[in-house]
């Protein structure tokens, strides 16, 4: 390969051919002969042969003799057999390093998702119950107000009859995401299984919680989940209970569930008073 570079038309100490600098100090950089070489001013081109110049490349990979030097093996003992052994060893080390990196990534993924329900993405039932158990000894001993909120999708049976099981996962994930928009950390949002969600909320009063409940209900009504192009309306029913000294995780859940059942009976009674066909 040859690269053609145009020469200079301006006389200089280097002759203007581009090979030498026009500086009077060129002899200091290029040697004493550089200042004595002259060439008449002319317009010409210089062909530079680049066939022997290697292309730019990344850092060279490791070489077995280099590794042998690092390992302290004398050069006179680096036989072909030693080179092959070191090469196999390095391949094995590289494979173990890659496996270790994959294992670390997997551990980080598991740590991020530990205690998560794979169905909805909310805190799983065992993890949520453990959180509730851990909070019970603190109830009444600090100034933190704790309220347990429960949610049931009241019309899930009707939805499954219409859409079968195909829409269940997407629907529950959608409901969890909408609830999480209004129940954010440090509050805990969990999925208890079946069609029940629960939230443990800190230092909020009941009025605040009911405002959040109304916002969740209105959003789900105005923006239903879409399954195969069809909107899936969902009816969430809520109940809440303020934790008290002496409660257990089971008694708190039962009390919140009782509040939910009472509100569900009111909802069903209202439906019963609506004339059929409307």
């Amino acid at each position: 390969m040859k690269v053609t570079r145009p020469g200079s038309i301006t006389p200089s100490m280097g002759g203007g051919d581009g090979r030498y600098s026009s500086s009077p100090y060129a002899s200091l950089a290029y040697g004493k002969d550089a200042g004595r070489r002259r060439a008449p001013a002319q317009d010409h081109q210089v062909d530079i042969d680049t066939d022997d110049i290697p292309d730019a490349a990344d850092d060279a990979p490791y070489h077995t003799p280099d590794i042998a030097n690092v390992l302290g093996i004398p050069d006179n003992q680096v036989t072909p057999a030693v080179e092959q052994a070191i090469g196999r060893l390095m391949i094995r080390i590289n494979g173990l390093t890659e496996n270790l990196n994959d294992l670390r990534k997997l551990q980080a993924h598991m740590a991020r998702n530990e205690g998560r329900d794979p169905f909805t993405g909310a805190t799983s039932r065992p993890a949520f119950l453990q959180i509730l158990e851990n909070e019970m000894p603190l109830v009444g001993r600090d100034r933190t107000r704790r309220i347990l909120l429960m949610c049931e999708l009241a019309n899930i049976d009707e939805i499954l009859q219409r859409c079968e099981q195909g829409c269940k996962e997407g629907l529950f994930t959608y409901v969890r995401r909408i609830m999480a928009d209004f129940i954010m950390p440090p509050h805990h949002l969990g999925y208890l299984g079946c069609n029940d969600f629960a939230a443990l909320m800190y230092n909020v009063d009941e009025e605040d919680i009911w405002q959040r409940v109304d916002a969740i209900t209105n959003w789900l009504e105005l923006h239903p989940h879409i399954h195969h192009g069809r909107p899936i309306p969902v009816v969430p029913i809520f109940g809440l209970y303020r934790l008290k000294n002496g409660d257990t995780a089971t008694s708190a859940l039962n009390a919140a569930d009782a509040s939910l059942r009472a509100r569900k009976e009111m909802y069903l009674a209202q439906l019963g008073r609506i004339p059929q066909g409307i």
Side-chain angles (χ1 to χ4, degrees):
M1 172 182 177
K2 289 187 177 182
V3 178
T4 301
R5 182 175 64 188
S8 172
I9 63 175
T10 305
S12 68
M13 291 185 66
D17 60 1
R19 291 176 295 174
Y20 303 102
S21 172
S22 60
S23 171
Y25 303 101
S27 60
L28 299 177
Y30 295 95
K32 60 183 179 180
D33 293 336
R36 294 198 296 267
R37 301 186 62 173
R38 298 290 185 269
Q42 57 182 343
D43 185 11
H44 67 280
Q45 294 180 337
V46 178
D47 291 336
I48 303 174
D49 193 349
T50 61
D51 290 338
D52 296 334
I53 300 177
D55 295 333
D58 297 334
D59 295 339
Y62 62 85
H63 297 285
T64 303
D66 298 334
I67 300 172
N69 292 336
V70 173
L71 296 177
I73 302 176
D75 292 340
N76 58 357
Q77 297 183 13
V78 182
T79 64
V82 172
E83 289 186 1
Q84 294 179 3
I86 294 177
R88 290 193 296 268
L89 177 62
M90 295 308 301
I91 292 175
R92 179 61 175 167
I93 291 175
N94 288 340
L96 293 175
T97 301
E98 293 177 358
N99 292 339
L100 179 60
N101 292 335
D102 293 340
L103 179 60
R104 287 175 176 172
K105 292 179 182 179
L106 179 60
Q107 289 177 337
H109 175 75
M110 293 178 64
R112 287 192 301 268
N113 294 277
E114 184 180 8
R116 292 289 176 183
D117 175 66
F119 183 59
T120 63
T123 303
S124 64
R125 179 185 179 91
F128 186 84
L129 293 179
Q130 185 62 56
I131 293 173
L132 199 57
E133 287 282 358
N134 294 341
E135 292 288 336
M136 287 305 168
L138 303 176
V139 175
R141 298 184 179 182
D142 57 14
R143 297 181 179 181
T144 302
R145 182 188 304 110
R146 299 170 177 84
I147 294 182
L148 182 61
L149 175 69
M150 291 193 66
C151 172
E152 176 185 310
L153 306 184
N155 62 332
I156 189 65
D157 292 336
E158 177 185 348
I159 292 174
L160 296 181
Q161 289 177 0
R162 290 167 45 200
C163 305
E164 299 180 350
Q165 294 289 334
C167 70
K168 187 174 181 180
E169 181 174 357
L171 175 63
F172 277 62
T173 302
Y174 179 72
V175 172
R176 190 273 310 169
R177 182 165 60 84
I178 300 304
M179 292 183 67
D181 289 340
F182 297 93
I183 304 175
M184 298 178 292
H187 313 306
H188 299 284
L189 177 61
Y191 174 64
L192 301 183
C194 192
N195 57 336
D196 295 330
F197 290 88
L200 180 60
M201 307 182 68
Y202 301 93
N203 290 332
V204 290
D205 53 30
E206 296 186 6
E207 182 180 357
D208 185 338
I209 294 179
W210 288 123
Q211 288 178 355
R212 299 180 191 226
V213 166
D214 291 339
I216 294 171
T217 303
N218 293 335
W219 183 273
L220 292 174
E221 181 179 356
L222 296 175
H223 307 87
H225 173 63
I226 303 299
H227 179 70
H228 292 167
R230 298 174 54 189
I232 308 297
V234 62
V235 179
I237 303 294
F238 294 86
L240 61 82
Y241 173 73
R242 178 174 177 177
L243 274 61
K244 300 177 182 178
N245 188 16
D247 283 334
T248 63
T250 301
S251 65
L253 286 172
N254 290 337
D257 184 70
S259 172
L260 187 151
R261 298 302 164 193
R263 293 179 63 85
K264 185 175 182 180
E265 291 179 1
M266 294 175 56
Y267 168 75
L268 295 177
Q270 292 176 355
L271 288 182
R273 291 195 295 267
I274 299 177
Q276 297 294 328
I278 295 181

